[in-house]
Each structure stands twice: as C-alpha cells, then as structure tokens.
Amino acid sequence: MNFAFAKKARKLSGLAIFSSIVGLTLVSILPWVSETTTDAGGKNLTIYHNIVTIDMSYNEQINVLAGDIRLIIDFFWLIIIFGLLSFVGTIIYVSDKHPRLAQVSLLLGCLTIIFSILVVFVNWSWIQKIGTMETISASPLFGVSNIPIKYAHLPLAMGVISLIGSGLYTWLILSSSIKPFIGSKKQKEPVEKLRVQEPKTRQPIQKLPVGEKQDSYRRIQTRSFEFEKESPIEKPYAEEEYSKPEQKQHLEPRKPIPTKQPFPLKKSLDIEETYGNSSAAEELSSRQDEPPSTSPLFEKALYSAIEKKQMEINKEKTDKKQQPAKKKISVRCPQCKYILSVEKGEGITKIKCPKCGKEGVIK
Amino acid sequence: MSEDPALNAKREEKIKEQLLDEVFKKAEISRGVRPPNKVISKKKSYEKTFPKVGILIIIIAIIGLVFINTIPWVYARYNDTEAAFYKNFESKKDDQQVRDLFKSPYYLGLSINDFTNAPALATYGFISLIILGIAITIFGILDKIRDFSIETFTIIHFTAATAIIIPGIFIILSSTKILGAHFLLYHNMSLITTPHLKLLFFPAAFAVVVIGFVIIRLAFTIMRMDFNELEKMKETEISEKPFSSYTYGGELQ
C-alpha cells in the first residue's frame, strides 16, 4: 500500500471534481449567447441569453445550441459522480480493506477522462458552431466585444482543468495497475537463473571442530551485517556470496585490537532515555541509511558478544542432549511386598512406598 | 560535575550489552536463523475521535435554513423606494412594479414561480444535510458502543463526507437560476422597461450559493482529515522497528 500514491490520486480526483462543480455552476449562471435584433425603430438591440432564456427563445438556431449546453451539464455531472467514486476508492485502498472494491472504484474514476474529453470537445465545437452563425454569437466577457474571451470559454477552461486532473489521475492509476505485470515479467528471468545456479554454488556443509565452528560463525555474522545494506532479494543468497573467493579476502582474520581503550560514549547518555525515547531511537535509526564506517573496537566487542551468545546456545544444546533419559523400573517394597513403578534418573533416587510409607533409596 | 567512574562503567557495560544483543539479533535475522519479528514496537497510541462533523453540518444546515427564511430573495431600489421580497415572493407592501419585472421572463429568465421553487429546493438540500449530519452523529454514538475498527470507521466517515457533496451541489444549483438572472440583468438592463430601476439584487440566492460552496469545501476538508488520520494510524503500525537500532561501525551519540 502506497500512501503517496493514494494521496496523489485523491488530489487529482479532487481537482477534477472541484473544477467540474465550478464548471457546472458557470454553465448555469453565465450568458452563453448574444442575439442581435432590430427593434420597431430599426435600432440594433443585443439580447443576452443564459441556459434558461435559451429555452424560451423563439429563434430556432438558439434552441439547437441548447442541446449542446445540456450535454455539457450532463458530462460535468458524470465527472463529479465518477470522481466521487474514485475518492471513496482511495480511502478503501488506504484502509487495506476490500482491495477489489478499491481497485474497481479507482478504475471507475478513470472514466472521468472520457467525460472531460467530451466536455472540452462539445464546448469547443459549440464555440466553433456559434461562430458560423449570423444573428447570434457567443457572449463576450462583460459585454466588451473587443476582448477575444467569451463567457463560453470559462466552462471550457474548467473542462480543461478537469481534463488535466482526470488525465493525470488516469495515468497514475493505469500505470500503477500495469506496473506489477511488467515487474513480474522482468523479475521472472533472474529468479529462474538463480534457481538454476543454486545446486552449483551451494557448498556442502562440513563438520568442523567446535573452535573452528565458532570462528566461521563469527565470520558469517560479520558478512551478514554488510548484507543489510543490500536489497532484500539478495539476503537469502548471503551464504552463496560468502563462498566467493574475492569476499573471502575480506573475511581474513583481523588484527588484534587494544582492549584498554574506552568505549566511545557521551557522558550524558542515559540508557533509559536512549531506548525509551522514540525520537532518539528514530534519530539512531535514521543513521542506518548512512554508509557504515568500520570501528575495530566495536567489532571486537561484537565478536566477543557473539562468541558469548554462541557458547551459551551451545551449552544449552549440550545440556539438553546430555540429560539422561529416565528409566521406569518396578520395585518391591521390602516391608509390605507392594510393587511400585518408579522413574529412576542418574545417581540416587529417593522413593517412598505409597502403601506402608517405608522410605528408601535406589542406587 | 564529577561522575562516579563505577556508575559510568556500569552504564557503558549495559549499553554495550544492549547494543550487542540487538546487533546479534539482527545478524541472526539476516542469516535466516531467526524470522524477522515485529514484536518490539514503538507504537504510538491511536485513539478514535468522536465525529463532530455531523454536528457541524447540522449547524451549517440550520444557518442555511435561517438564511432562506429571513434574508430577502429580491431587493429592489427605484425612485428612492426600496422593496424586499422574501421566500415565496412575499412582501409586506405589495410592490406592483417589481412584480412586473418578472411577468415576462424573456430578459431575466426568472418568473415569480422561481422564487417559490428555489427556496423549496434549497430547503430540501439543507434538510438532507441535517439527515446526513444526524446519521454521522448516530454512527459516532454507535461506534462508542460497538467499537468499530478504525478502518471501517474512517471508510464510513469518509463516504458520508463524500455524500455531503451531492446535496451541496444541489443547494448551489437551486440558486444558480437566480444568480444567472443577476448576470442577465447586468447585460439586458437597457431592455428592461421598469422605470428608474437603480438596483436589483438577490441576497438570499448569493448566501445560499456561498453556503453551498462552504459545505463542499468542508466535505473536502473532512475527507482530507480522514485520509490523514488513516495514514497516521497506519504509520504507527508501520513504524514498528524490531530493535532500537545502531549503525554497524557508527559512533554512538
């Protein structure tokens, strides 16, 4: 789940919705058409018409234009509805619940681009169409005929903004939907190659004496720290990489380090603060991104700790192994002749007869 | 300030132990000896808040209803005379000259009936908003009882906020006809025969459109807040770190 992706999708969808709402309002408010007529005295009159008065007009040419404006209104509504669906899709996507529903909602939001294109196309063709007519024309902005911008251009501008928003949204959604398929194709090949190489590169596990075992374990641990900076796909192949000769050089035994040097530590450091305070921990964690610099003192301390831990683990294992299995034996009480079953471990086991209460030991 | 060397040494030892333990665990995970666990976390507490938005929407809708009923829908000034017409085109003194303005709606696109329809449509819009506000508030109360998951809570809250936009648009569109008439009046003034008309204004329609846009803006804000809340909540989960970390080879500060 990608929050940045969802946030971007929400913003773009919001842009398309808001511009459509404004466009819808402008379509209903603005005077689209100006009609030039002559009055009884032969004087030229200009009448402005909006969507309401267009319907009332007796001029057939104006009535024809009304159909296109109604189409623009319908398309704006459709952009709003599908945009709102995509809005809901983003929150479902972020919540990680119902991923299918989220995907469908987000994809439905892509339909806004079609309606945005239609809005722009119908609006533009409307302006072109009215330009060819004689008695009627597109109303100039504020009634100033010198200005090339008409009122009809304002909803067109909203349509263009909506188109930009929905276009970017569609690109974002579709590219993210296609990405996994492309990614899977690209990844398939190297994974298969690695699988083929696997039996060749894997070394048989050799039994080593305890001392050598610990030493090799220490080396592997050291290597694994360096793998932390590598991509996660490479981590499982850490062992294979370890077996490469050029990396073996890196794992040569290190020179002895003077132990009397103090551990680099700030005097004011408090353990509780360092580990209890999340901000301090975050600060430390942010340092993980920096390239590691070698500290021989720390390595030495690390080796000793790993050795210590390994020893403890080995000891636990050996203790478990060495624990003798308890034998179940039957013993007859010398006093009451009652036969009782006893679990006998190593050494002396004390027993007590449940019938007469006589105590004794088994050696 | 002098520090006890024994105490300092003890501290050092403790830090060393902790760091080494962590690095050892990391090493184990990277080696594949131990599966990566997210048990130790620095999860911040996240609490759901009661949705006050429902109450806010109810308040806005009530304000809208008050505006519809108290602000005049038509305000006209001519020959030093003022006339105000309220909802359903009611006036205290019946002004025939203003009534004549809307007899032929060819130039303004407005008839007297529109002053009955527009407040009615806006009223329905505000009532539907009140219903939505009540629904959100009830949902908030239900959440207190049933304790829905944060995701469910946010999705429902977000969807309710999205639903608010629809009545918001209807409220705006209910008055656009009147607003459009205002624009036409500006352009077709020379054609209107009412003598000495100085001002014709539709205050209630403007107020309703402004309230409609405020509602839509509020809905967008609620959605953004819900989104951010969910992100915050998810981040607290994601921010789980297996160990308090230390850079290998780095210097402790």
Side-chain angles (χ1 to χ4, degrees), chain A residues 97 220-221 275 288 293 299, chain B residues 26-27 31 152 244 248-249:
Chain A
K97 276 193 169 184
I220 291 160
Q221 290 293 332
Y275 294 94
Q288 277 186 321
S293 59
E299 278 177 48
Chain B
K26 269 189 180 179
R31 280 275 294 129
T152 311
S244 54
Y248 171 59

Side-chain angles (χ1 to χ4, degrees), chain A residues 327 329-332 340-352 359-363:
Chain A
K327 282 181 186 175
I329 51 165
S330 298
V331 184
R332 197 167 67 172
L340 62 147
S341 59
V342 181
E343 281 187 344
K344 187 189 175 295
E346 268 197 354
I348 298 160
T349 312
K350 281 187 178 180
I351 53 164
K352 191 179 179 180
E359 287 181 355
V361 287
I362 302 166
K363 286 180 183 175

Side-chain angles (χ1 to χ4, degrees), chain A residues 66-121:
Chain A
D68 287 348
I69 298 171
R70 299 231 171 268
L71 264 178
I72 293 168
I73 290 173
D74 293 344
F75 290 143
F76 270 133
W77 266 111
L78 286 168
I79 294 168
I80 291 165
I81 290 162
F82 283 105
L84 291 177
L85 265 175
S86 71
F87 246 45
V88 175
T90 54
I91 197 80
I92 299 171
Y93 170 78
V94 166
S95 69
D96 265 351
K97 276 193 169 184
H98 319 293
R100 284 257 163 204
L101 187 65
Q103 209 171 5
V104 169
S105 307
L106 288 171
L107 285 171
L108 275 175
C110 295
L111 289 176
T112 52
I113 192 170
I114 296 166
F115 301 118
S116 300
I117 291 167
L118 285 170
V119 162
V120 173
F121 175 73

